[in-house]
């Protein structure tokens, strides 16, 4: 089936910075540039090139929604709820009533995820969801690229403020060291940190324990 729109996210798992969700709607499948793929499989340079092509094509409608750390840390919202809401808001900006599209499922129950996203879109559209949709459907790959480019630029801005923060992911030793050293120096997490993430909680706990040991 040829889908008229797609959505995907970037930055769901990092300990630092915002998550970004992008939606793309196209008049024709030919509007998607050749070589588009899951953004994780592309170099940053190639993502930037593809994003420019997508933005410069009148047959492509695109929207990017940012979910900042304060919303991510809010106790009343989980990542699934935030992702559903952001996909619905991004899709609202680009979809046409009566069209069908597919989103990358960020929940184990893809059918339920699709239903919730569809319920959040104001227009009467059909929303499907699949795990790994960014690897299978070009329109979702395009959304993946735009979301990742937005996340890349966001991390660049964090680096301008704080110095090298790495990728922001807990698995990144540069990110972990940045969080540890910042807490050690200032006694608190930086504003860009997701306070509810284990990596950040652990850094605070380690600093508090160190202070107690020195008392």
């Amino acid at each position: 089936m040829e889908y008229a729109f797609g959505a995907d996210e970037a930055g769901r798992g990092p300990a630092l910075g915002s998550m970004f969700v992008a939606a793309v709607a196209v008049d024709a499948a030919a509007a998607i540039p050749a070589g588009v793929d899951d953004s994780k499989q592309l170099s940053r340079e190639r993502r930037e090139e593809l994003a420019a092509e997508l933005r410069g094509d009148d047959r492509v409608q695109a929207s990017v929604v940012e979910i900042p750390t304060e919303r991510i840390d809010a106790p009343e919202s989980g990542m699934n709820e935030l992702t559903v809401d952001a996909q619905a808001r991004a899709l609202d900006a680009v979809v046409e009533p009566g069209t069908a599209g597919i989103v990358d499922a960020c929940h184990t129950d893809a059918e339920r995820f699709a239903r919730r996203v569809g319920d959040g879109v104001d227009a009467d559209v059909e929303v499907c969801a699949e795990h790994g949709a960014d690897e299978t459907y070009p329109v979702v790959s395009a959304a993946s690229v735009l979301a990742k480019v937005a996340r890349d630029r966001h991390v660049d801005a964090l680096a301008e403020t704080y110095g090298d923060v790495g990728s922001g992911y807990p698995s990144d030793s540069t990110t972990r060291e940045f969080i540890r050293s910042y807490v050690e120096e200032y006694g608190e997490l930086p504003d860009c940190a997701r306070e509810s993430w284990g990596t950040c909680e652990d850094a605070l706990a380690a600093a508090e324990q160190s202070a107690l040991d020195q008392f």
Side-chain angles (χ1 to χ4, degrees):
M1 179 177 181
E2 204 170 275
Y3 290 106
F5 60 81
D8 196 16
E9 53 77 25
R12 184 177 165 93
L16 300 177
S18 302
M19 176 173 73
F20 293 83
V21 170
V24 168
V26 294
D27 293 340
I32 302 297
V36 75
D37 197 354
D38 169 17
S39 62
K40 297 184 291 296
Q41 305 303 318
L42 302 168
S43 68
R44 177 165 184 173
E45 180 181 12
R46 184 57 180 146
R47 291 195 297 266
E48 291 280 358
E49 292 171 352
L50 289 167
E53 287 186 55
L54 289 163
R55 294 288 192 186
D57 193 325
D58 291 340
R59 299 171 298 173
V60 178
Q61 300 297 315
S63 172
V64 177
V65 171
E66 179 179 0
I67 302 89
T69 53
E70 55 265 28
R71 285 200 65 200
I72 292 171
D73 285 329
E76 67 273 13
S77 299
M79 289 304 292
N80 287 334
E81 290 77 15
L82 289 173
T83 307
V84 165
D85 176 67
Q87 285 198 5
R89 286 194 288 136
L91 288 170
D92 259 332
V94 300
V95 297
E96 293 291 337
T99 55
I102 185 161
V103 303
D104 193 62
C106 296
H107 187 274
T108 52
D109 188 337
E111 186 176 338
R112 181 171 181 264
F113 185 84
R115 184 169 60 252
R116 294 180 64 200
V117 172
D119 288 345
V121 178
D122 289 337
D124 182 16
V125 294
E126 179 184 345
V127 177
C128 300
E130 283 187 22
H131 300 111
D134 52 352
E135 301 173 359
T136 307
Y137 302 94
V139 72
V140 183
S141 300
S144 173
V145 166
L146 292 177
K148 187 67 169 73
V149 166
R151 168 72 190 178
D152 287 342
R153 294 175 180 178
H154 176 64
V155 174
D156 287 347
L158 295 182
E160 288 180 7
T161 300
Y162 298 101
D164 190 0
V165 300
S167 65
Y169 281 86
S171 59
D172 187 331
S173 59
T174 301
T175 296
R176 294 197 305 273
E177 175 57 24
F178 161 70
I179 295 171
R180 186 202 63 77
S181 60
Y182 189 98
V183 171
E184 186 176 84
E185 182 173 357
Y186 297 103
E188 62 183 8
L189 291 164
D191 289 342
C192 64
R194 299 182 184 179
E195 296 179 358
S196 55
W197 253 234
T199 304
C200 298
E201 292 176 339
D202 290 347
L204 280 176
E208 290 170 0
Q209 185 60 51
S210 177
L212 288 173
D213 291 343
Q214 294 173 18
F215 183 72

